[in-house]
Amino acid sequence: MSLNKSELVSAIANKAEINKTEAEAALNAFQEVLIESLAKGEAVKVTGFLSAERVERAARTGRNPRTGEEISIPANFGVKISAGSLLKKAVAK
């Protein structure tokens, strides 16, 4: 089972005792701040919950799965997300 965005908004609204419109606005704002910060190369850390940072991936050689031909994969950036201690404890139960 997974929680989609509208279900998450409803759950946040219930927990925070706010309406769904405010909960969705808060979730969207969190998403925008996270994206903007990572795009600038800034790490985002929510103590106990998670940390996210932009990481550089080195250029490497790969293979085309159809032909087996070697291809050059250029360097680029990715995102590393780590669970915080509270999240790890909640999942371990």
Side-chain angles (χ1 to χ4, degrees), residues 63-90:
R63 290 207 178 268
N64 180 328
R66 285 190 194 153
T67 64
E69 175 187 357
E70 280 194 2
I71 57 173
S72 176
I73 302 170
N76 62 15
F77 294 99
V79 177
K80 177 183 173 188
I81 298 180
S82 302
S85 60
L86 296 175
L87 191 56
K88 288 179 184 177
K89 286 178 187 175

mmCIF file of all heavy atoms in Angstrom, residues 63-90:
data_model
loop_
_atom_site.group_PDB
_atom_site.id
_atom_site.type_symbol
_atom_site.label_atom_id
_atom_site.label_comp_id
_atom_site.label_asym_id
_atom_site.label_seq_id
_atom_site.Cartn_x
_atom_site.Cartn_y
_atom_site.Cartn_z
ATOM 1 N N ARG A 63 27.007 0.417 -21.169
ATOM 2 C CA ARG A 63 26.709 -0.404 -22.342
ATOM 3 C C ARG A 63 25.264 -0.197 -22.769
ATOM 4 O O ARG A 63 24.373 -0.125 -21.943
ATOM 5 C CB ARG A 63 26.903 -1.882 -22.030
ATOM 6 C CG ARG A 63 28.320 -2.265 -21.849
ATOM 7 C CD ARG A 63 28.524 -3.747 -22.192
ATOM 8 N NE ARG A 63 29.925 -4.070 -22.058
ATOM 9 C CZ ARG A 63 30.801 -4.001 -23.045
ATOM 10 N NH1 ARG A 63 30.415 -3.651 -24.245
ATOM 11 N NH2 ARG A 63 32.065 -4.292 -22.847
ATOM 12 N N ASN A 64 25.064 -0.124 -24.075
ATOM 13 C CA ASN A 64 23.731 -0.090 -24.634
ATOM 14 C C ASN A 64 23.152 -1.492 -24.458
ATOM 15 O O ASN A 64 23.715 -2.466 -24.957
ATOM 16 C CB ASN A 64 23.799 0.283 -26.120
ATOM 17 C CG ASN A 64 22.442 0.343 -26.773
ATOM 18 O OD1 ASN A 64 21.529 -0.388 -26.417
ATOM 19 N ND2 ASN A 64 22.319 1.216 -27.759
ATOM 20 N N PRO A 65 22.041 -1.645 -23.727
ATOM 21 C CA PRO A 65 21.510 -2.987 -23.472
ATOM 22 C C PRO A 65 21.039 -3.724 -24.728
ATOM 23 O O PRO A 65 21.044 -4.950 -24.761
ATOM 24 C CB PRO A 65 20.349 -2.753 -22.517
ATOM 25 C CG PRO A 65 20.091 -1.302 -22.499
ATOM 26 C CD PRO A 65 21.277 -0.614 -23.069
ATOM 27 N N ARG A 66 20.651 -2.996 -25.749
ATOM 28 C CA ARG A 66 20.189 -3.649 -26.986
ATOM 29 C C ARG A 66 21.333 -4.198 -27.825
ATOM 30 O O ARG A 66 21.272 -5.302 -28.331
ATOM 31 C CB ARG A 66 19.395 -2.669 -27.843
ATOM 32 C CG ARG A 66 18.026 -2.417 -27.328
ATOM 33 C CD ARG A 66 17.211 -1.651 -28.344
ATOM 34 N NE ARG A 66 16.024 -1.144 -27.705
ATOM 35 C CZ ARG A 66 15.363 -0.082 -28.082
ATOM 36 N NH1 ARG A 66 15.767 0.615 -29.118
ATOM 37 N NH2 ARG A 66 14.288 0.301 -27.440
ATOM 38 N N THR A 67 22.379 -3.373 -27.976
ATOM 39 C CA THR A 67 23.452 -3.750 -28.899
ATOM 40 C C THR A 67 24.715 -4.231 -28.197
ATOM 41 O O THR A 67 25.568 -4.845 -28.821
ATOM 42 C CB THR A 67 23.841 -2.552 -29.785
ATOM 43 O OG1 THR A 67 24.374 -1.515 -28.950
ATOM 44 C CG2 THR A 67 22.654 -2.037 -30.559
ATOM 45 N N GLY A 68 24.860 -3.935 -26.915
ATOM 46 C CA GLY A 68 26.072 -4.289 -26.198
ATOM 47 C C GLY A 68 27.210 -3.314 -26.462
ATOM 48 O O GLY A 68 28.299 -3.466 -25.928
ATOM 49 N N GLU A 69 26.946 -2.293 -27.274
ATOM 50 C CA GLU A 69 27.958 -1.300 -27.621
ATOM 51 C C GLU A 69 28.297 -0.440 -26.408
ATOM 52 O O GLU A 69 27.415 -0.057 -25.629
ATOM 53 C CB GLU A 69 27.405 -0.417 -28.745
ATOM 54 C CG GLU A 69 28.288 0.730 -29.146
ATOM 55 C CD GLU A 69 27.600 1.660 -30.137
ATOM 56 O OE1 GLU A 69 26.459 1.376 -30.556
ATOM 57 O OE2 GLU A 69 28.208 2.685 -30.459
ATOM 58 N N GLU A 70 29.585 -0.138 -26.235
ATOM 59 C CA GLU A 70 29.995 0.749 -25.150
ATOM 60 C C GLU A 70 29.577 2.172 -25.474
ATOM 61 O O GLU A 70 29.707 2.616 -26.615
ATOM 62 C CB GLU A 70 31.513 0.692 -24.953
ATOM 63 C CG GLU A 70 31.973 -0.502 -24.175
ATOM 64 C CD GLU A 70 33.419 -0.365 -23.696
ATOM 65 O OE1 GLU A 70 34.054 0.674 -23.945
ATOM 66 O OE2 GLU A 70 33.882 -1.328 -23.075
ATOM 67 N N ILE A 71 29.085 2.875 -24.446
ATOM 68 C CA ILE A 71 28.699 4.273 -24.620
ATOM 69 C C ILE A 71 29.325 5.098 -23.504
ATOM 70 O O ILE A 71 29.617 4.580 -22.425
ATOM 71 C CB ILE A 71 27.162 4.465 -24.628
ATOM 72 C CG1 ILE A 71 26.534 3.919 -23.345
ATOM 73 C CG2 ILE A 71 26.534 3.818 -25.840
ATOM 74 C CD1 ILE A 71 25.066 4.221 -23.188
ATOM 75 N N SER A 72 29.518 6.364 -23.768
ATOM 76 C CA SER A 72 30.076 7.275 -22.779
ATOM 77 C C SER A 72 28.920 7.989 -22.083
ATOM 78 O O SER A 72 28.082 8.609 -22.732
ATOM 79 C CB SER A 72 30.980 8.284 -23.484
ATOM 80 O OG SER A 72 31.462 9.221 -22.553
ATOM 81 N N ILE A 73 28.879 7.891 -20.756
ATOM 82 C CA ILE A 73 27.844 8.561 -19.961
ATOM 83 C C ILE A 73 28.504 9.784 -19.323
ATOM 84 O O ILE A 73 29.464 9.636 -18.555
ATOM 85 C CB ILE A 73 27.268 7.627 -18.896
ATOM 86 C CG1 ILE A 73 26.677 6.374 -19.555
ATOM 87 C CG2 ILE A 73 26.222 8.350 -18.050
ATOM 88 C CD1 ILE A 73 26.292 5.282 -18.583
ATOM 89 N N PRO A 74 28.040 10.995 -19.638
ATOM 90 C CA PRO A 74 28.689 12.198 -19.108
ATOM 91 C C PRO A 74 28.451 12.376 -17.612
ATOM 92 O O PRO A 74 27.505 11.808 -17.045
ATOM 93 C CB PRO A 74 28.031 13.330 -19.895
ATOM 94 C CG PRO A 74 26.727 12.783 -20.338
ATOM 95 C CD PRO A 74 26.912 11.306 -20.495
ATOM 96 N N ALA A 75 29.299 13.160 -16.979
ATOM 97 C CA ALA A 75 29.122 13.490 -15.565
ATOM 98 C C ALA A 75 27.841 14.307 -15.405
ATOM 99 O O ALA A 75 27.473 15.084 -16.284
ATOM 100 C CB ALA A 75 30.323 14.285 -15.076
ATOM 101 N N ASN A 76 27.155 14.106 -14.298
ATOM 102 C CA ASN A 76 25.967 14.899 -14.004
ATOM 103 C C ASN A 76 25.701 14.863 -12.507
ATOM 104 O O ASN A 76 26.538 14.417 -11.732
ATOM 105 C CB ASN A 76 24.751 14.442 -14.828
ATOM 106 C CG ASN A 76 24.349 13.020 -14.539
ATOM 107 O OD1 ASN A 76 24.769 12.425 -13.550
ATOM 108 N ND2 ASN A 76 23.535 12.441 -15.394
ATOM 109 N N PHE A 77 24.535 15.309 -12.102
ATOM 110 C CA PHE A 77 24.197 15.367 -10.688
ATOM 111 C C PHE A 77 23.030 14.443 -10.378
ATOM 112 O O PHE A 77 22.178 14.193 -11.222
ATOM 113 C CB PHE A 77 23.819 16.799 -10.282
ATOM 114 C CG PHE A 77 24.967 17.759 -10.378
ATOM 115 C CD1 PHE A 77 25.099 18.584 -11.476
ATOM 116 C CD2 PHE A 77 25.909 17.820 -9.375
ATOM 117 C CE1 PHE A 77 26.163 19.463 -11.578
ATOM 118 C CE2 PHE A 77 26.973 18.697 -9.464
ATOM 119 C CZ PHE A 77 27.104 19.529 -10.568
ATOM 120 N N GLY A 78 22.992 13.966 -9.142
ATOM 121 C CA GLY A 78 21.892 13.147 -8.649
ATOM 122 C C GLY A 78 21.522 13.643 -7.262
ATOM 123 O O GLY A 78 22.086 14.620 -6.756
ATOM 124 N N VAL A 79 20.585 12.976 -6.627
ATOM 125 C CA VAL A 79 20.142 13.340 -5.285
ATOM 126 C C VAL A 79 20.327 12.147 -4.367
ATOM 127 O O VAL A 79 19.955 11.020 -4.703
ATOM 128 C CB VAL A 79 18.654 13.773 -5.282
ATOM 129 C CG1 VAL A 79 18.179 14.084 -3.871
ATOM 130 C CG2 VAL A 79 18.447 14.970 -6.184
ATOM 131 N N LYS A 80 20.903 12.406 -3.209
ATOM 132 C CA LYS A 80 21.068 11.368 -2.190
ATOM 133 C C LYS A 80 20.134 11.733 -1.033
ATOM 134 O O LYS A 80 20.217 12.832 -0.484
ATOM 135 C CB LYS A 80 22.514 11.324 -1.700
ATOM 136 C CG LYS A 80 22.744 10.333 -0.588
ATOM 137 C CD LYS A 80 24.186 10.384 -0.106
ATOM 138 C CE LYS A 80 24.353 9.509 1.111
ATOM 139 N NZ LYS A 80 25.694 9.694 1.702
ATOM 140 N N ILE A 81 19.258 10.800 -0.685
ATOM 141 C CA ILE A 81 18.330 11.023 0.422
ATOM 142 C C ILE A 81 18.618 9.984 1.486
ATOM 143 O O ILE A 81 18.695 8.784 1.197
ATOM 144 C CB ILE A 81 16.869 10.944 -0.045
ATOM 145 C CG1 ILE A 81 16.607 12.048 -1.069
ATOM 146 C CG2 ILE A 81 15.909 11.035 1.135
ATOM 147 C CD1 ILE A 81 15.215 12.099 -1.619
ATOM 148 N N SER A 82 18.778 10.444 2.735
ATOM 149 C CA SER A 82 19.053 9.553 3.854
ATOM 150 C C SER A 82 17.967 9.707 4.905
ATOM 151 O O SER A 82 17.545 10.828 5.215
ATOM 152 C CB SER A 82 20.400 9.892 4.488
ATOM 153 O OG SER A 82 21.431 9.807 3.535
ATOM 154 N N ALA A 83 17.542 8.589 5.452
ATOM 155 C CA ALA A 83 16.537 8.612 6.509
ATOM 156 C C ALA A 83 17.176 9.056 7.819
ATOM 157 O O ALA A 83 18.305 8.676 8.130
ATOM 158 C CB ALA A 83 15.917 7.233 6.676
ATOM 159 N N GLY A 84 16.437 9.851 8.593
ATOM 160 C CA GLY A 84 16.897 10.286 9.908
ATOM 161 C C GLY A 84 16.576 9.244 10.969
ATOM 162 O O GLY A 84 15.883 8.253 10.722
ATOM 163 N N SER A 85 17.054 9.461 12.176
ATOM 164 C CA SER A 85 16.911 8.474 13.255
ATOM 165 C C SER A 85 15.459 8.179 13.614
ATOM 166 O O SER A 85 15.096 7.026 13.835
ATOM 167 C CB SER A 85 17.675 8.936 14.493
ATOM 168 O OG SER A 85 17.181 10.187 14.943
ATOM 169 N N LEU A 86 14.605 9.197 13.655
ATOM 170 C CA LEU A 86 13.190 8.963 13.997
ATOM 171 C C LEU A 86 12.507 8.126 12.926
ATOM 172 O O LEU A 86 11.714 7.231 13.233
ATOM 173 C CB LEU A 86 12.445 10.293 14.166
ATOM 174 C CG LEU A 86 12.895 11.188 15.311
ATOM 175 C CD1 LEU A 86 12.154 12.516 15.272
ATOM 176 C CD2 LEU A 86 12.684 10.501 16.645
ATOM 177 N N LEU A 87 12.825 8.396 11.679
ATOM 178 C CA LEU A 87 12.243 7.643 10.570
ATOM 179 C C LEU A 87 12.730 6.199 10.592
ATOM 180 O O LEU A 87 11.956 5.262 10.402
ATOM 181 C CB LEU A 87 12.592 8.325 9.250
ATOM 182 C CG LEU A 87 11.870 7.857 8.001
ATOM 183 C CD1 LEU A 87 10.359 7.958 8.165
ATOM 184 C CD2 LEU A 87 12.314 8.681 6.809
ATOM 185 N N LYS A 88 14.012 6.002 10.856
ATOM 186 C CA LYS A 88 14.571 4.645 10.938
ATOM 187 C C LYS A 88 13.919 3.843 12.056
ATOM 188 O O LYS A 88 13.585 2.672 11.893
ATOM 189 C CB LYS A 88 16.082 4.699 11.151
ATOM 190 C CG LYS A 88 16.852 5.136 9.929
ATOM 191 C CD LYS A 88 18.336 5.187 10.242
ATOM 192 C CE LYS A 88 19.133 5.726 9.065
ATOM 193 N NZ LYS A 88 20.574 5.838 9.389
ATOM 194 N N LYS A 89 13.726 4.484 13.213
ATOM 195 C CA LYS A 89 13.098 3.795 14.355
ATOM 196 C C LYS A 89 11.651 3.434 14.040
ATOM 197 O O LYS A 89 11.188 2.351 14.390
ATOM 198 C CB LYS A 89 13.137 4.674 15.601
ATOM 199 C CG LYS A 89 14.506 4.766 16.235
ATOM 200 C CD LYS A 89 14.475 5.688 17.449
ATOM 201 C CE LYS A 89 15.869 5.912 17.981
ATOM 202 N NZ LYS A 89 15.880 6.898 19.089
ATOM 203 N N ALA A 90 10.924 4.321 13.383
ATOM 204 C CA ALA A 90 9.521 4.072 13.055
ATOM 205 C C ALA A 90 9.396 2.889 12.088
ATOM 206 O O ALA A 90 8.478 2.080 12.218
ATOM 207 C CB ALA A 90 8.888 5.326 12.449
#
